[in-house]
Structures are given as C-alpha cells and as structure tokens.
PDB file of all heavy atoms in Angstrom:
ATOM      1  N   CYS A   1     105.085 110.712 105.638  1.00 96.00           N
ATOM      2  CA  CYS A   1     105.573 111.594 104.585  1.00 96.00           C
ATOM      3  C   CYS A   1     106.341 112.788 105.143  1.00 96.00           C
ATOM      4  O   CYS A   1     107.310 113.261 104.540  1.00 96.00           O
ATOM      5  CB  CYS A   1     104.389 112.057 103.743  1.00 96.00           C
ATOM      6  SG  CYS A   1     104.809 113.196 102.419  1.00 96.00           S
ATOM      7  N   LYS A   2     105.938 113.307 106.336  1.00 96.00           N
ATOM      8  CA  LYS A   2     106.559 114.498 106.903  1.00 96.00           C
ATOM      9  C   LYS A   2     108.037 114.294 107.225  1.00 96.00           C
ATOM     10  O   LYS A   2     108.797 115.263 107.349  1.00 96.00           O
ATOM     11  CB  LYS A   2     105.822 114.923 108.181  1.00 96.00           C
ATOM     12  CG  LYS A   2     105.843 113.908 109.293  1.00 96.00           C
ATOM     13  CD  LYS A   2     105.057 114.399 110.491  1.00 96.00           C
ATOM     14  CE  LYS A   2     105.012 113.353 111.596  1.00 96.00           C
ATOM     15  NZ  LYS A   2     106.362 113.024 112.124  1.00 96.00           N
ATOM     16  N   ASP A   3     108.445 113.028 107.350  1.00 96.00           N
ATOM     17  CA  ASP A   3     109.863 112.750 107.623  1.00 96.00           C
ATOM     18  C   ASP A   3     110.731 112.973 106.381  1.00 96.00           C
ATOM     19  O   ASP A   3     111.956 113.016 106.486  1.00 96.00           O
ATOM     20  CB  ASP A   3     110.046 111.310 108.104  1.00 96.00           C
ATOM     21  CG  ASP A   3     109.387 111.084 109.461  1.00 96.00           C
ATOM     22  OD1 ASP A   3     109.214 112.078 110.185  1.00 96.00           O
ATOM     23  OD2 ASP A   3     109.050 109.927 109.777  1.00 96.00           O
ATOM     24  N   TYR A   4     110.090 113.092 105.210  1.00 97.00           N
ATOM     25  CA  TYR A   4     110.845 113.186 103.958  1.00 97.00           C
ATOM     26  C   TYR A   4     110.476 114.434 103.146  1.00 97.00           C
ATOM     27  O   TYR A   4     111.266 114.890 102.330  1.00 97.00           O
ATOM     28  CB  TYR A   4     110.613 111.933 103.111  1.00 97.00           C
ATOM     29  CG  TYR A   4     110.942 110.678 103.883  1.00 97.00           C
ATOM     30  CD1 TYR A   4     109.948 109.965 104.549  1.00 97.00           C
ATOM     31  CD2 TYR A   4     112.261 110.240 103.985  1.00 97.00           C
ATOM     32  CE1 TYR A   4     110.254 108.824 105.276  1.00 97.00           C
ATOM     33  CE2 TYR A   4     112.566 109.098 104.718  1.00 97.00           C
ATOM     34  CZ  TYR A   4     111.563 108.397 105.359  1.00 97.00           C
ATOM     35  OH  TYR A   4     111.876 107.280 106.093  1.00 97.00           O
ATOM     36  N   PHE A   5     109.262 114.952 103.379  1.00 97.00           N
ATOM     37  CA  PHE A   5     108.801 116.172 102.715  1.00 97.00           C
ATOM     38  C   PHE A   5     108.114 117.025 103.773  1.00 97.00           C
ATOM     39  O   PHE A   5     107.163 116.567 104.427  1.00 97.00           O
ATOM     40  CB  PHE A   5     107.816 115.864 101.581  1.00 97.00           C
ATOM     41  CG  PHE A   5     108.407 115.040 100.461  1.00 97.00           C
ATOM     42  CD1 PHE A   5     108.263 113.659 100.450  1.00 97.00           C
ATOM     43  CD2 PHE A   5     109.122 115.654  99.442  1.00 97.00           C
ATOM     44  CE1 PHE A   5     108.804 112.898  99.434  1.00 97.00           C
ATOM     45  CE2 PHE A   5     109.665 114.892  98.417  1.00 97.00           C
ATOM     46  CZ  PHE A   5     109.507 113.502  98.415  1.00 97.00           C
ATOM     47  N   SER A   6     108.579 118.250 103.962  1.00 96.00           N
ATOM     48  CA  SER A   6     108.051 119.094 105.036  1.00 96.00           C
ATOM     49  C   SER A   6     106.549 119.346 104.860  1.00 96.00           C
ATOM     50  O   SER A   6     106.054 119.494 103.741  1.00 96.00           O
ATOM     51  CB  SER A   6     108.804 120.436 105.057  1.00 96.00           C
ATOM     52  OG  SER A   6     108.654 121.114 103.831  1.00 96.00           O
ATOM     53  N   ASN A   7     105.838 119.345 105.988  1.00 95.00           N
ATOM     54  CA  ASN A   7     104.407 119.654 106.023  1.00 95.00           C
ATOM     55  C   ASN A   7     103.558 118.704 105.164  1.00 95.00           C
ATOM     56  O   ASN A   7     102.522 119.090 104.625  1.00 95.00           O
ATOM     57  CB  ASN A   7     104.142 121.095 105.571  1.00 95.00           C
ATOM     58  CG  ASN A   7     104.850 122.108 106.426  1.00 95.00           C
ATOM     59  OD1 ASN A   7     104.843 122.003 107.662  1.00 95.00           O
ATOM     60  ND2 ASN A   7     105.486 123.098 105.797  1.00 95.00           N
ATOM     61  N   CYS A   8     103.976 117.447 105.055  1.00 96.00           N
ATOM     62  CA  CYS A   8     103.198 116.449 104.297  1.00 96.00           C
ATOM     63  C   CYS A   8     102.451 115.578 105.291  1.00 96.00           C
ATOM     64  O   CYS A   8     103.060 114.900 106.132  1.00 96.00           O
ATOM     65  CB  CYS A   8     104.119 115.600 103.435  1.00 96.00           C
ATOM     66  SG  CYS A   8     103.233 114.367 102.450  1.00 96.00           S
ATOM     67  N   ALA A   9     101.123 115.596 105.221  1.00 93.00           N
ATOM     68  CA  ALA A   9     100.301 114.882 106.199  1.00 93.00           C
ATOM     69  C   ALA A   9     100.019 113.440 105.804  1.00 93.00           C
ATOM     70  O   ALA A   9      99.351 112.703 106.544  1.00 93.00           O
ATOM     71  CB  ALA A   9      98.972 115.628 106.376  1.00 93.00           C
ATOM     72  N   LEU A  10     100.489 113.012 104.677  1.00 93.00           N
ATOM     73  CA  LEU A  10     100.187 111.649 104.212  1.00 93.00           C
ATOM     74  C   LEU A  10     100.937 110.594 105.011  1.00 93.00           C
ATOM     75  O   LEU A  10     101.995 110.842 105.582  1.00 93.00           O
ATOM     76  CB  LEU A  10     100.553 111.505 102.730  1.00 93.00           C
ATOM     77  CG  LEU A  10      99.710 112.283 101.719  1.00 93.00           C
ATOM     78  CD1 LEU A  10     100.211 112.007 100.313  1.00 93.00           C
ATOM     79  CD2 LEU A  10      98.240 111.895 101.834  1.00 93.00           C
ATOM     80  N   ARG A  11     100.357 109.403 104.991  1.00 92.00           N
ATOM     81  CA  ARG A  11     100.989 108.233 105.590  1.00 92.00           C
ATOM     82  C   ARG A  11     100.730 107.056 104.654  1.00 92.00           C
ATOM     83  O   ARG A  11      99.629 106.868 104.168  1.00 92.00           O
ATOM     84  CB  ARG A  11     100.388 107.960 106.972  1.00 92.00           C
ATOM     85  CG  ARG A  11     100.769 106.604 107.578  1.00 92.00           C
ATOM     86  CD  ARG A  11     100.121 106.447 108.945  1.00 92.00           C
ATOM     87  NE  ARG A  11     100.207 105.080 109.445  1.00 92.00           N
ATOM     88  CZ  ARG A  11      99.256 104.172 109.268  1.00 92.00           C
ATOM     89  NH1 ARG A  11      98.157 104.494 108.588  1.00 92.00           N
ATOM     90  NH2 ARG A  11      99.391 102.955 109.763  1.00 92.00           N
ATOM     91  N   THR A  12     101.743 106.308 104.391  1.00 93.00           N
ATOM     92  CA  THR A  12     101.566 105.107 103.580  1.00 93.00           C
ATOM     93  C   THR A  12     102.342 103.976 104.236  1.00 93.00           C
ATOM     94  O   THR A  12     102.910 104.150 105.318  1.00 93.00           O
ATOM     95  CB  THR A  12     102.024 105.327 102.123  1.00 93.00           C
ATOM     96  OG1 THR A  12     101.639 104.205 101.337  1.00 93.00           O
ATOM     97  CG2 THR A  12     103.522 105.544 102.020  1.00 93.00           C
ATOM     98  N   ILE A  13     102.322 102.831 103.618  1.00 94.00           N
ATOM     99  CA  ILE A  13     102.965 101.652 104.199  1.00 94.00           C
ATOM    100  C   ILE A  13     103.893 101.022 103.175  1.00 94.00           C
ATOM    101  O   ILE A  13     103.549 100.892 101.998  1.00 94.00           O
ATOM    102  CB  ILE A  13     101.903 100.621 104.655  1.00 94.00           C
ATOM    103  CG1 ILE A  13     101.069 101.217 105.794  1.00 94.00           C
ATOM    104  CG2 ILE A  13     102.550  99.306 105.085  1.00 94.00           C
ATOM    105  CD1 ILE A  13      99.919 100.344 106.238  1.00 94.00           C
ATOM    106  N   HIS A  14     105.062 100.651 103.633  1.00 94.00           N
ATOM    107  CA  HIS A  14     105.989  99.888 102.791  1.00 94.00           C
ATOM    108  C   HIS A  14     105.493  98.448 102.732  1.00 94.00           C
ATOM    109  O   HIS A  14     105.319  97.799 103.756  1.00 94.00           O
ATOM    110  CB  HIS A  14     107.393  99.938 103.402  1.00 94.00           C
ATOM    111  CG  HIS A  14     108.383  99.075 102.674  1.00 94.00           C
ATOM    112  ND1 HIS A  14     109.299  98.301 103.338  1.00 94.00           N
ATOM    113  CD2 HIS A  14     108.587  98.867 101.354  1.00 94.00           C
ATOM    114  CE1 HIS A  14     110.034  97.650 102.453  1.00 94.00           C
ATOM    115  NE2 HIS A  14     109.622  97.985 101.238  1.00 94.00           N
ATOM    116  N   LYS A  15     105.266  97.962 101.508  1.00 93.00           N
ATOM    117  CA  LYS A  15     104.667  96.632 101.319  1.00 93.00           C
ATOM    118  C   LYS A  15     105.571  95.757 100.466  1.00 93.00           C
ATOM    119  O   LYS A  15     106.093  96.195  99.443  1.00 93.00           O
ATOM    120  CB  LYS A  15     103.290  96.753 100.635  1.00 93.00           C
ATOM    121  CG  LYS A  15     102.303  97.592 101.444  1.00 93.00           C
ATOM    122  CD  LYS A  15     101.098  98.010 100.632  1.00 93.00           C
ATOM    123  CE  LYS A  15     101.443  99.066  99.596  1.00 93.00           C
ATOM    124  NZ  LYS A  15     101.951 100.331 100.177  1.00 93.00           N
ATOM    125  N   GLN A  16     105.745  94.537 100.901  1.00 91.00           N
ATOM    126  CA  GLN A  16     106.492  93.555 100.136  1.00 91.00           C
ATOM    127  C   GLN A  16     105.641  92.307  99.976  1.00 91.00           C
ATOM    128  O   GLN A  16     104.949  91.898 100.904  1.00 91.00           O
ATOM    129  CB  GLN A  16     107.812  93.188 100.821  1.00 91.00           C
ATOM    130  CG  GLN A  16     108.853  94.299 100.812  1.00 91.00           C
ATOM    131  CD  GLN A  16     110.119  93.858 101.507  1.00 91.00           C
ATOM    132  OE1 GLN A  16     110.078  93.375 102.640  1.00 91.00           O
ATOM    133  NE2 GLN A  16     111.255  94.035 100.848  1.00 91.00           N
ATOM    134  N   ALA A  17     105.709  91.681  98.793  1.00 93.00           N
ATOM    135  CA  ALA A  17     104.970  90.443  98.574  1.00 93.00           C
ATOM    136  C   ALA A  17     105.764  89.275  99.143  1.00 93.00           C
ATOM    137  O   ALA A  17     106.986  89.320  99.248  1.00 93.00           O
ATOM    138  CB  ALA A  17     104.731  90.240  97.091  1.00 93.00           C
ATOM    139  N   THR A  18     105.041  88.252  99.533  1.00 92.00           N
ATOM    140  CA  THR A  18     105.735  87.052 100.019  1.00 92.00           C
ATOM    141  C   THR A  18     106.452  86.352  98.869  1.00 92.00           C
ATOM    142  O   THR A  18     107.402  85.601  99.083  1.00 92.00           O
ATOM    143  CB  THR A  18     104.735  86.073 100.665  1.00 92.00           C
ATOM    144  OG1 THR A  18     103.698  85.763  99.716  1.00 92.00           O
ATOM    145  CG2 THR A  18     104.103  86.693 101.892  1.00 92.00           C
ATOM    146  N   ASP A  19     105.995  86.580  97.638  1.00 89.00           N
ATOM    147  CA  ASP A  19     106.668  86.066  96.447  1.00 89.00           C
ATOM    148  C   ASP A  19     107.854  86.984  96.145  1.00 89.00           C
ATOM    149  O   ASP A  19     107.676  88.145  95.791  1.00 89.00           O
ATOM    150  CB  ASP A  19     105.686  86.045  95.271  1.00 89.00           C
ATOM    151  CG  ASP A  19     106.325  85.549  93.985  1.00 89.00           C
ATOM    152  OD1 ASP A  19     107.548  85.274  93.984  1.00 89.00           O
ATOM    153  OD2 ASP A  19     105.614  85.433  92.978  1.00 89.00           O
ATOM    154  N   SER A  20     109.061  86.467  96.283  1.00 85.00           N
ATOM    155  CA  SER A  20     110.250  87.310  96.143  1.00 85.00           C
ATOM    156  C   SER A  20     110.410  87.874  94.739  1.00 85.00           C
ATOM    157  O   SER A  20     111.059  88.896  94.549  1.00 85.00           O
ATOM    158  CB  SER A  20     111.506  86.502  96.510  1.00 85.00           C
ATOM    159  OG  SER A  20     111.625  85.367  95.662  1.00 85.00           O
ATOM    160  N   SER A  21     109.807  87.224  93.727  1.00 86.00           N
ATOM    161  CA  SER A  21     109.953  87.709  92.357  1.00 86.00           C
ATOM    162  C   SER A  21     109.167  88.996  92.122  1.00 86.00           C
ATOM    163  O   SER A  21     109.464  89.759  91.210  1.00 86.00           O
ATOM    164  CB  SER A  21     109.483  86.639  91.358  1.00 86.00           C
ATOM    165  OG  SER A  21     108.090  86.403  91.489  1.00 86.00           O
ATOM    166  N   VAL A  22     108.137  89.252  92.944  1.00 88.00           N
ATOM    167  CA  VAL A  22     107.318  90.448  92.791  1.00 88.00           C
ATOM    168  C   VAL A  22     108.004  91.657  93.412  1.00 88.00           C
ATOM    169  O   VAL A  22     107.879  92.778  92.930  1.00 88.00           O
ATOM    170  CB  VAL A  22     105.917  90.241  93.411  1.00 88.00           C
ATOM    171  CG1 VAL A  22     105.109  91.528  93.365  1.00 88.00           C
ATOM    172  CG2 VAL A  22     105.194  89.122  92.688  1.00 88.00           C
ATOM    173  N   LYS A  23     108.755  91.447  94.468  1.00 84.00           N
ATOM    174  CA  LYS A  23     109.479  92.504  95.180  1.00 84.00           C
ATOM    175  C   LYS A  23     108.513  93.535  95.765  1.00 84.00           C
ATOM    176  O   LYS A  23     107.592  93.194  96.486  1.00 84.00           O
ATOM    177  CB  LYS A  23     110.519  93.142  94.264  1.00 84.00           C
ATOM    178  CG  LYS A  23     111.576  92.131  93.773  1.00 84.00           C
ATOM    179  CD  LYS A  23     112.597  92.769  92.875  1.00 84.00           C
ATOM    180  CE  LYS A  23     113.601  91.730  92.414  1.00 84.00           C
ATOM    181  NZ  LYS A  23     114.602  92.282  91.472  1.00 84.00           N
ATOM    182  N   GLN A  24     108.706  94.825  95.412  1.00 91.00           N
ATOM    183  CA  GLN A  24     107.928  95.873  96.058  1.00 91.00           C
ATOM    184  C   GLN A  24     106.516  95.975  95.477  1.00 91.00           C
ATOM    185  O   GLN A  24     106.294  95.735  94.292  1.00 91.00           O
ATOM    186  CB  GLN A  24     108.632  97.227  95.899  1.00 91.00           C
ATOM    187  CG  GLN A  24     110.105  97.218  96.272  1.00 91.00           C
ATOM    188  CD  GLN A  24     110.334  96.992  97.756  1.00 91.00           C
ATOM    189  OE1 GLN A  24     109.425  97.151  98.552  1.00 91.00           O
ATOM    190  NE2 GLN A  24     111.551  96.631  98.129  1.00 91.00           N
ATOM    191  N   VAL A  25     105.571  96.364  96.337  1.00 95.00           N
ATOM    192  CA  VAL A  25     104.167  96.532  95.953  1.00 95.00           C
ATOM    193  C   VAL A  25     103.751  97.944  96.343  1.00 95.00           C
ATOM    194  O   VAL A  25     104.132  98.436  97.415  1.00 95.00           O
ATOM    195  CB  VAL A  25     103.268  95.504  96.678  1.00 95.00           C
ATOM    196  CG1 VAL A  25     101.828  95.655  96.223  1.00 95.00           C
ATOM    197  CG2 VAL A  25     103.775  94.090  96.418  1.00 95.00           C
ATOM    198  N   TYR A  26     102.950  98.597  95.470  1.00 96.00           N
ATOM    199  CA  TYR A  26     102.596 100.008  95.695  1.00 96.00           C
ATOM    200  C   TYR A  26     101.094 100.208  95.670  1.00 96.00           C
ATOM    201  O   TYR A  26     100.357  99.477  94.984  1.00 96.00           O
ATOM    202  CB  TYR A  26     103.257 100.884  94.623  1.00 96.00           C
ATOM    203  CG  TYR A  26     104.756 100.835  94.696  1.00 96.00           C
ATOM    204  CD1 TYR A  26     105.467  99.842  94.028  1.00 96.00           C
ATOM    205  CD2 TYR A  26     105.460 101.754  95.464  1.00 96.00           C
ATOM    206  CE1 TYR A  26     106.845  99.773  94.111  1.00 96.00           C
ATOM    207  CE2 TYR A  26     106.843 101.697  95.548  1.00 96.00           C
ATOM    208  CZ  TYR A  26     107.536 100.703  94.875  1.00 96.00           C
ATOM    209  OH  TYR A  26     108.895 100.629  94.976  1.00 96.00           O
ATOM    210  N   CYS A  27     100.632 101.221  96.419  1.00 96.00           N
ATOM    211  CA  CYS A  27      99.214 101.558  96.450  1.00 96.00           C
ATOM    212  C   CYS A  27      98.801 102.215  95.130  1.00 96.00           C
ATOM    213  O   CYS A  27      99.527 103.033  94.574  1.00 96.00           O
ATOM    214  CB  CYS A  27      98.911 102.523  97.594  1.00 96.00           C
ATOM    215  SG  CYS A  27      99.084 101.781  99.226  1.00 96.00           S
ATOM    216  N   ALA A  28      97.596 101.873  94.657  1.00 95.00           N
ATOM    217  CA  ALA A  28      97.058 102.500  93.446  1.00 95.00           C
ATOM    218  C   ALA A  28      96.214 103.720  93.798  1.00 95.00           C
ATOM    219  O   ALA A  28      96.208 104.708  93.075  1.00 95.00           O
ATOM    220  CB  ALA A  28      96.240 101.497  92.644  1.00 95.00           C
ATOM    221  N   GLU A  29      95.477 103.662  94.907  1.00 93.00           N
ATOM    222  CA  GLU A  29      94.605 104.770  95.334  1.00 93.00           C
ATOM    223  C   GLU A  29      94.840 105.020  96.821  1.00 93.00           C
ATOM    224  O   GLU A  29      94.563 104.153  97.641  1.00 93.00           O
ATOM    225  CB  GLU A  29      93.137 104.434  95.072  1.00 93.00           C
ATOM    226  CG  GLU A  29      92.820 104.130  93.606  1.00 93.00           C
ATOM    227  CD  GLU A  29      91.391 103.650  93.436  1.00 93.00           C
ATOM    228  OE1 GLU A  29      90.525 104.117  94.195  1.00 93.00           O
ATOM    229  OE2 GLU A  29      91.162 102.788  92.567  1.00 93.00           O
ATOM    230  N   HIS A  30      95.294 106.196  97.151  1.00 92.00           N
ATOM    231  CA  HIS A  30      95.686 106.463  98.536  1.00 92.00           C
ATOM    232  C   HIS A  30      94.522 106.388  99.517  1.00 92.00           C
ATOM    233  O   HIS A  30      94.661 105.880 100.625  1.00 92.00           O
ATOM    234  CB  HIS A  30      96.357 107.840  98.637  1.00 92.00           C
ATOM    235  CG  HIS A  30      96.628 108.241 100.047  1.00 92.00           C
ATOM    236  ND1 HIS A  30      95.799 109.099 100.751  1.00 92.00           N
ATOM    237  CD2 HIS A  30      97.611 107.871 100.906  1.00 92.00           C
ATOM    238  CE1 HIS A  30      96.263 109.250 101.965  1.00 92.00           C
ATOM    239  NE2 HIS A  30      97.376 108.524 102.091  1.00 92.00           N
ATOM    240  N   ASN A  31      93.369 106.894  99.115  1.00 91.00           N
ATOM    241  CA  ASN A  31      92.256 107.046 100.061  1.00 91.00           C
ATOM    242  C   ASN A  31      91.407 105.785 100.222  1.00 91.00           C
ATOM    243  O   ASN A  31      90.197 105.857 100.370  1.00 91.00           O
ATOM    244  CB  ASN A  31      91.369 108.213  99.625  1.00 91.00           C
ATOM    245  CG  ASN A  31      92.093 109.543  99.754  1.00 91.00           C
ATOM    246  OD1 ASN A  31      92.796 109.773 100.729  1.00 91.00           O
ATOM    247  ND2 ASN A  31      91.937 110.394  98.753  1.00 91.00           N
ATOM    248  N   VAL A  32      92.039 104.627 100.176  1.00 94.00           N
ATOM    249  CA  VAL A  32      91.348 103.365 100.441  1.00 94.00           C
ATOM    250  C   VAL A  32      92.157 102.633 101.496  1.00 94.00           C
ATOM    251  O   VAL A  32      93.387 102.639 101.462  1.00 94.00           O
ATOM    252  CB  VAL A  32      91.224 102.506  99.152  1.00 94.00           C
ATOM    253  CG1 VAL A  32      90.513 101.191  99.454  1.00 94.00           C
ATOM    254  CG2 VAL A  32      90.497 103.269  98.063  1.00 94.00           C
ATOM    255  N   ALA A  33      91.460 101.981 102.432  1.00 93.00           N
ATOM    256  CA  ALA A  33      92.138 101.382 103.583  1.00 93.00           C
ATOM    257  C   ALA A  33      92.958 100.154 103.203  1.00 93.00           C
ATOM    258  O   ALA A  33      92.664  99.447 102.241  1.00 93.00           O
ATOM    259  CB  ALA A  33      91.099 100.998 104.632  1.00 93.00           C
ATOM    260  N   LEU A  34      93.995  99.906 104.001  1.00 93.00           N
ATOM    261  CA  LEU A  34      94.799  98.692 103.928  1.00 93.00           C
ATOM    262  C   LEU A  34      94.601  97.900 105.215  1.00 93.00           C
ATOM    263  O   LEU A  34      94.237  98.469 106.240  1.00 93.00           O
ATOM    264  CB  LEU A  34      96.278  99.047 103.782  1.00 93.00           C
ATOM    265  CG  LEU A  34      96.788  99.385 102.381  1.00 93.00           C
ATOM    266  CD1 LEU A  34      98.148 100.051 102.487  1.00 93.00           C
ATOM    267  CD2 LEU A  34      96.872  98.131 101.532  1.00 93.00           C
ATOM    268  N   PRO A  35      94.835  96.594 105.173  1.00 93.00           N
ATOM    269  CA  PRO A  35      94.747  95.827 106.434  1.00 93.00           C
ATOM    270  C   PRO A  35      95.786  96.327 107.421  1.00 93.00           C
ATOM    271  O   PRO A  35      96.875  96.766 107.022  1.00 93.00           O
ATOM    272  CB  PRO A  35      95.025  94.387 105.995  1.00 93.00           C
ATOM    273  CG  PRO A  35      95.694  94.501 104.666  1.00 93.00           C
ATOM    274  CD  PRO A  35      95.165  95.735 104.027  1.00 93.00           C
ATOM    275  N   GLY A  36      95.457  96.293 108.689  1.00 88.00           N
ATOM    276  CA  GLY A  36      96.371  96.773 109.716  1.00 88.00           C
ATOM    277  C   GLY A  36      97.541  95.842 109.915  1.00 88.00           C
ATOM    278  O   GLY A  36      97.543  94.691 109.476  1.00 88.00           O
ATOM    279  N   GLY A  37      98.568  96.354 110.603  1.00 84.00           N
ATOM    280  CA  GLY A  37      99.747  95.551 110.863  1.00 84.00           C
ATOM    281  C   GLY A  37      99.434  94.382 111.776  1.00 84.00           C
ATOM    282  O   GLY A  37      98.556  94.439 112.624  1.00 84.00           O
ATOM    283  N   GLY A  38     100.144  93.312 111.618  1.00 86.00           N
ATOM    284  CA  GLY A  38      99.917  92.120 112.428  1.00 86.00           C
ATOM    285  C   GLY A  38     100.603  90.943 111.783  1.00 86.00           C
ATOM    286  O   GLY A  38     101.603  91.086 111.114  1.00 86.00           O
ATOM    287  N   SER A  39     100.010  89.779 111.951  1.00 81.00           N
ATOM    288  CA  SER A  39     100.633  88.581 111.391  1.00 81.00           C
ATOM    289  C   SER A  39      99.763  87.945 110.311  1.00 81.00           C
ATOM    290  O   SER A  39     100.001  86.814 109.917  1.00 81.00           O
ATOM    291  CB  SER A  39     100.885  87.557 112.510  1.00 81.00           C
ATOM    292  OG  SER A  39      99.650  87.238 113.145  1.00 81.00           O
ATOM    293  N   GLY A  40      98.765  88.670 109.844  1.00 91.00           N
ATOM    294  CA  GLY A  40      97.863  88.093 108.845  1.00 91.00           C
ATOM    295  C   GLY A  40      98.427  88.168 107.438  1.00 91.00           C
ATOM    296  O   GLY A  40      99.150  89.106 107.093  1.00 91.00           O
ATOM    297  N   ASN A  41      98.085  87.176 106.624  1.00 94.00           N
ATOM    298  CA  ASN A  41      98.438  87.185 105.212  1.00 94.00           C
ATOM    299  C   ASN A  41      97.204  87.551 104.399  1.00 94.00           C
ATOM    300  O   ASN A  41      96.125  86.982 104.602  1.00 94.00           O
ATOM    301  CB  ASN A  41      98.949  85.813 104.768  1.00 94.00           C
ATOM    302  CG  ASN A  41     100.350  85.536 105.286  1.00 94.00           C
ATOM    303  OD1 ASN A  41     101.064  86.450 105.668  1.00 94.00           O
ATOM    304  ND2 ASN A  41     100.729  84.264 105.297  1.00 94.00           N
ATOM    305  N   TYR A  42      97.357  88.495 103.489  1.00 95.00           N
ATOM    306  CA  TYR A  42      96.246  88.947 102.650  1.00 95.00           C
ATOM    307  C   TYR A  42      96.631  88.782 101.182  1.00 95.00           C
ATOM    308  O   TYR A  42      97.763  89.078 100.790  1.00 95.00           O
ATOM    309  CB  TYR A  42      95.902  90.409 102.967  1.00 95.00           C
ATOM    310  CG  TYR A  42      95.392  90.602 104.379  1.00 95.00           C
ATOM    311  CD1 TYR A  42      96.276  90.752 105.439  1.00 95.00           C
ATOM    312  CD2 TYR A  42      94.024  90.612 104.647  1.00 95.00           C
ATOM    313  CE1 TYR A  42      95.819  90.910 106.735  1.00 95.00           C
ATOM    314  CE2 TYR A  42      93.555  90.782 105.941  1.00 95.00           C
ATOM    315  CZ  TYR A  42      94.452  90.923 106.981  1.00 95.00           C
ATOM    316  OH  TYR A  42      93.993  91.076 108.273  1.00 95.00           O
TER     317      TYR A  42
END
C-alpha cells in the first residue's frame, strides 16, 4: 500500500481466478490469512 498511499502499512495480493469469466477477485476481510505464493491451486 505504501507504494500508492504514503505511510500505509497494509499489504494485499492481486488475485485472479483461473476461470477467465470471473476476472479479478478481492479480499472480503483484510485480517484473515491467504495461502502463500507458489504453484498451488486453491
């Protein structure tokens, strides 16, 4: 977040679904973990 808004400590992840019709996917609650980067499908 700090790269786009000064002094913002947040971090999020750009997520895309494998289904192209869904396109972008967004977090509903920030303070819950996401799977880490890698090659896994969730």
Side-chain angles (χ1 to χ4, degrees):
C1 178
K2 62 182 177 62
D3 294 336
Y4 305 95
F5 298 95
S6 60
N7 301 315
C8 181
L10 292 180
R11 168 180 168 267
T12 189
I13 295 175
H14 175 222
K15 300 165 288 298
Q16 290 180 308
T18 56
D19 179 357
S20 59
S21 66
V22 175
K23 299 180 180 177
Q24 311 293 343
V25 182
Y26 297 87
C27 291
E29 302 173 33
H30 173 261
N31 293 319
V32 180
L34 278 165
S39 58
N41 286 341
Y42 296 84

